[in-house]
Amino acid sequence: MTDTLEVGGGGRPKSSEEEAKRRARVLMKGNDAVAEAAIQAGCDAYFGYPITPQAELLEWMARRMPELGRVFVQAESELGAINMALGAAATGARVLVSSSSPGISLMAEAMSYMAGSGTPMVLINVMRAGPGLGGIGPSQSDYFQATKGHGHGDYRVPVLAPASIGEAMDLTVDAFELAERYRTPVMVVFDGILGQAMEPVELRFRNPARRTFDWALTGAAGRPARVIKSIDLVPEVLEKRNIALQRKYAEISRHEVRWATESMEDAEYVLVAYGTAARVARSAIEKARAKGIKAGLFRPITLWPFPSRELARVARHAHAILTVELSSGQMVEDVRLAVEGRCPVGFHGRMGGLVPTPDEVVGALKALHGKVERTREHEREEQRKRQHASAAAPAERTHRAEADAPARGHALANAPAGRRDGGER
Amino acid sequence: MERSVVFSGFGGQGLLFTGQVIARAAIKDGLEVFWIPSYGPEMRGGTASCTVIVADHPIGSPVVDQFDAAVAMNLPSLRKFGPCVAPGGLLIVNSSLVISQTSARGDIVELRLPCTELAAKGGDDKLVSIVALGALVARLGWVTPESVRAALREISAKKRPEIIDADLGVFAAGFDAGRVGVAA
């Protein structure tokens, strides 16, 4: 083990249970911890190119992989790194690549090739602020890129978004499993803060069981040659390949959605945030509750597949949703698609490498709360007026109410009075 | 309980290291902790800093706009973080380098310590930040001095075993100075 992983004695006397817990936790930097988790998960080969705020991950690999007799290559560029990864992954090796935003853009083309040819790989993006070379501060402005973009063509990539260093370690291991189960590149994204910060982590390492790959290029002696490619010039054949891909994505969407919630039992206002923004939101929730706003947290862990169904269920009972991101508002588009107007959706974000403070988020929440409460009050007032009018002309109003009822739709049947029309305000 | 402290000074004064010592001590005390360095571009002669959040529950926001305590080892740090100490909070200023300037705040405790002199007294005049660490632990008691000593021993044993005695001596000097509030 490396020196960072050792734990020493000291401290005040504890019960044996506390003692065990204390001993099991060590202080690790996000980038280092993720690298070590990948190593312990049996990563065979790493390819990369240095970039802040991800550099320590590459440095850790540079030291540890040769120690273990495994492959480490600092390529001549990000393009070189990701294409070497493609080659290594084609042999069935467990491959890791990491970079930060501008570097990920350079890797986009190969991501499309890997998706197209079904080569598993884990790609970590320690996100920094853009666009362009931007800055090195923490950011979540690569949400679009990760969930809808990078390369060309009809493809998707599972995207995992941890909110703590311990979770980043776990999800990195899960990413290898997903990549191999579905024969797809998988991304793990977190911002520069989690990469640079240190937190206590438990050294619970996992090394996922190896599958037998009937597609890997391992030398064709004694068997027919295998081919890994993304090209298919016959449209009918290429469409079949695409249909198979889409089936795979449908399966991933059915089985691999992950999310977490906090303080949701009685929540009227729901903060939706992932990664570092979710931690800020967690602090904001405590402060908001102290001010009498019942707030809860919905945290997507898979950004794709996005937990749309689960969020829609939450939206049915929420007064309003506030999405918090370190971006101009990217995930909020998926939030709105999921919510489908069931409740108002607000947004608060910072850009350029800045992180909103909990007070800032509480401010945004209070503004949304005020607006929603005023609208609700207005609607209650309107309803009172309608009731008053219907008392004067009962027959006519009853008839209209019946005619209106089916148009409101099943999904909104349980919505609280006064906001049946859903709609954003 | 959730408390935050920022350690700030020149690069080379050992502030990131000191932040890690308190973080490791917090783990030994069974607490949650979050350590984050300022990793932006810094110019020579500017400030290097790290923030440490200690809590008895899972830590939410890594961003703090008001610190419960700040350690300013040079003038730029005093200017930058003096105004960010929460009312009633503690500001430790290295009076070996910051001779006459103060935070000019009446709503916080400003503890001025001649860190170079106290470090020399403890065994090594280069370990200035350990003085501040000692005073901080004495004043605030977020972590136990036993855990800090164990953390110091643990880190130094691996990297520079010859310096352990000086580390512990300087920590003790800082601890005593913090307890009695030595005037600069």
Side-chain angles (χ1 to χ4, degrees):
Chain A
M1 277 286 140
T2 60
D3 54 17
T4 323
L5 297 178
E6 282 171 35
V7 225
R12 53 190 160 212
K14 298 272 169 165
S15 72
S16 59
E17 196 183 315
E18 280 177 317
E19 178 74 13
K21 193 183 163 205
R22 182 176 65 80
R23 284 204 161 272
R25 298 192 328 151
V26 299
L27 189 67
M28 280 193 91
K29 189 176 247 255
N31 284 333
D32 297 346
V34 164
E36 187 60 28
I39 286 168
Q40 301 283 343
C43 175
D44 298 307
Y46 173 92
F47 305 91
Y49 187 79
I51 181 170
T52 308
Q54 164 272 171
E56 297 85 0
L57 206 166
L58 172 131
E59 287 164 10
W60 189 278
M61 287 306 214
R63 185 163 54 83
R64 292 276 287 141
M65 292 294 268
E67 265 174 27
L68 298 165
R70 303 186 196 169
V71 174
F72 168 88
V73 180
Q74 179 178 320
E76 78 281 13
S77 72
E78 283 87 350
L79 269 80
I82 193 88
N83 282 290
M84 289 175 194
L86 197 167
T91 69
R94 205 163 265 179
V95 178
L96 180 72
V97 174
S98 67
S99 189
S100 178
S101 312
I104 301 290
S105 293
L106 288 166
M107 295 174 173
E109 180 201 41
M111 288 290 278
S112 171
Y113 279 64
M114 294 180 93
S117 60
T119 25
M121 176 206 52
V122 175
L123 175 62
I124 295 175
N125 182 3
V126 187
M127 296 183 283
R128 58 187 254 181
L133 217 43
I136 59 174
S139 175
Q140 298 179 328
S141 55
D142 300 347
Y143 179 92
F144 285 156
Q145 183 195 48
T147 60
K148 324 208 186 264
H150 11 87
H152 57 280
D154 268 328
Y155 78 96
R156 294 285 198 169
V157 160
V159 182
L160 308 176
S164 70
I165 294 173
E167 191 179 35
M169 295 169 77
D170 286 341
L171 291 184
T172 300
V173 182
D174 293 349
F176 282 117
E177 280 183 307
L178 285 173
E180 290 172 12
R181 186 180 315 143
Y182 294 103
R183 281 190 67 183
T184 177
V186 174
M187 284 188 84
V188 179
V189 299
F190 50 91
D191 61 76
I193 284 190
L194 274 192
Q196 295 296 317
M198 293 180 107
E199 273 189 301
V201 295
E202 285 176 39
L203 300 180
R204 295 178 282 117
F205 293 120
R206 282 178 294 138
N207 185 341
R210 299 272 174 174
R211 293 165 181 271
T212 337
F213 298 132
D214 58 4
W215 49 265
L217 308 184
T218 54
R223 63 159 170 82
R226 295 166 179 166
V227 178
I228 290 197
K229 60 171 188 173
S230 60
I231 189 169
D232 244 319
L233 293 176
V234 181
E236 287 75 12
V237 178
L238 183 54
E239 190 185 44
K240 277 203 184 102
R241 192 192 262 269
N242 268 281
I243 289 169
L245 269 183
Q246 294 305 317
R247 248 185 233 128
K248 175 161 87 181
Y249 299 143
E251 202 186 325
I252 295 173
S253 299
R254 263 198 308 281
H255 300 301
E256 307 300 345
V257 177
R258 297 191 200 185
W259 73 100
T261 57
E262 275 175 49
S263 312
M264 285 295 293
E265 300 70 30
D266 61 342
E268 295 172 344
Y269 288 80
V270 179
L271 296 179
V272 182
Y274 69 96
T276 291
R279 299 182 66 138
V280 177
R282 182 193 289 159
S283 298
I285 283 165
E286 264 175 53
K287 291 188 170 203
R289 282 185 174 262
K291 289 184 199 303
I293 302 176
K294 286 182 185 162
L297 173 67
F298 185 95
R299 177 169 73 88
I301 295 173
T302 48
L303 303 184
W304 189 85
F306 191 74
S308 302
R309 217 172 309 150
E310 295 71 21
L311 186 56
R313 217 171 289 142
V314 163
R316 225 166 271 163
H317 306 289
H319 290 190
I321 282 174
L322 180 69
T323 307
V324 183
E325 296 177 61
L326 315 187
S327 80
S328 64
Q330 299 194 4
M331 180 180 70
V332 68
E333 293 191 1
D334 283 336
V335 172
R336 288 189 171 125
L337 281 172
V339 168
E340 288 187 305
R342 288 181 182 91
C343 72
V345 175
F347 173 75
H348 183 77
R350 295 297 298 264
M351 292 174 279
L354 295 175
V355 179
T357 62
D359 284 337
E360 232 179 281
V361 175
V362 172
L365 192 58
K366 271 168 77 180
L368 183 66
H369 175 262
K371 209 165 140 192
V372 169
E373 292 304 315
R374 278 193 299 280
T375 311
R376 287 163 66 84
E377 182 49 44
H378 177 73
E379 281 171 2
R380 278 193 291 269
E381 183 61 31
E382 290 292 302
Q383 205 176 14
R384 274 196 291 276
K385 275 186 202 158
R386 276 200 299 274
Q387 275 164 359
H388 187 71
S390 69
E396 188 192 0
R397 303 306 293 185
T398 309
H399 176 72
R400 274 197 198 169
E402 276 169 8
D404 280 350
R408 282 172 185 158
H410 176 71
L412 298 172
N414 295 326
R419 40 182 288 277
R420 286 191 183 146
D421 53 336
E424 235 171 83
R425 295 167 199 104
Chain B
M1 183 275 268
E2 181 167 322
R3 300 279 181 268
S4 58
V5 54
V6 57
F7 294 93
S8 182
F10 289 123
Q13 282 182 316
L15 292 147
L16 303 195
F17 168 83
T18 305
Q20 286 182 28
V21 172
I22 202 167
R24 282 176 185 243
I27 294 175
K28 289 177 188 302
D29 285 339
L31 297 167
E32 295 295 331
V33 66
F34 196 88
W35 175 96
I36 175 89
S38 61
Y39 71 91
E42 289 288 357
M43 59 186 179
R44 197 168 163 167
T47 58
S49 69
C50 71
T51 300
V52 180
I53 304 169
V54 176
D56 58 4
H57 55 80
I59 292 166
S61 175
V63 185
V64 178
D65 41 14
Q66 284 214 309
F67 299 94
D68 296 297
V71 170
M73 296 302 287
N74 64 4
L75 186 57
S77 301
L78 174 64
R79 291 205 171 121
K80 190 170 177 184
F81 293 110
C84 304
V85 178
L90 173 68
L91 173 66
I92 296 176
V93 178
N94 174 16
S95 60
S96 303
L97 283 186
V98 185
I99 315 285
S100 55
Q101 296 86 346
T102 71
S103 69
R105 287 186 55 179
D107 60 340
I108 61 172
V109 176
E110 183 169 329
L111 182 62
R112 301 178 63 81
L113 298 174
C115 294
T116 306
E117 289 78 359
L118 286 168
K121 204 193 285 175
D124 187 337
D125 64 0
K126 289 191 288 299
L127 304 178
V128 285
S129 296
I130 307 284
V131 173
L133 175 69
L136 188 85
V137 171
R139 278 289 167 127
L140 301 175
W142 299 345
V143 295
T144 59
E146 295 77 32
S147 294
V148 176
R149 281 193 283 269
L152 277 170
R153 256 187 232 111
E154 188 181 298
I155 301 172
S156 296
K158 270 168 284 182
K159 294 188 176 153
R160 295 171 70 192
E162 72 282 2
I163 211 171
I164 293 179
D165 289 343
D167 271 337
L168 296 175
V170 173
F171 176 71
F175 192 86
D176 292 342
R179 218 164 27 180
V180 298
V182 162

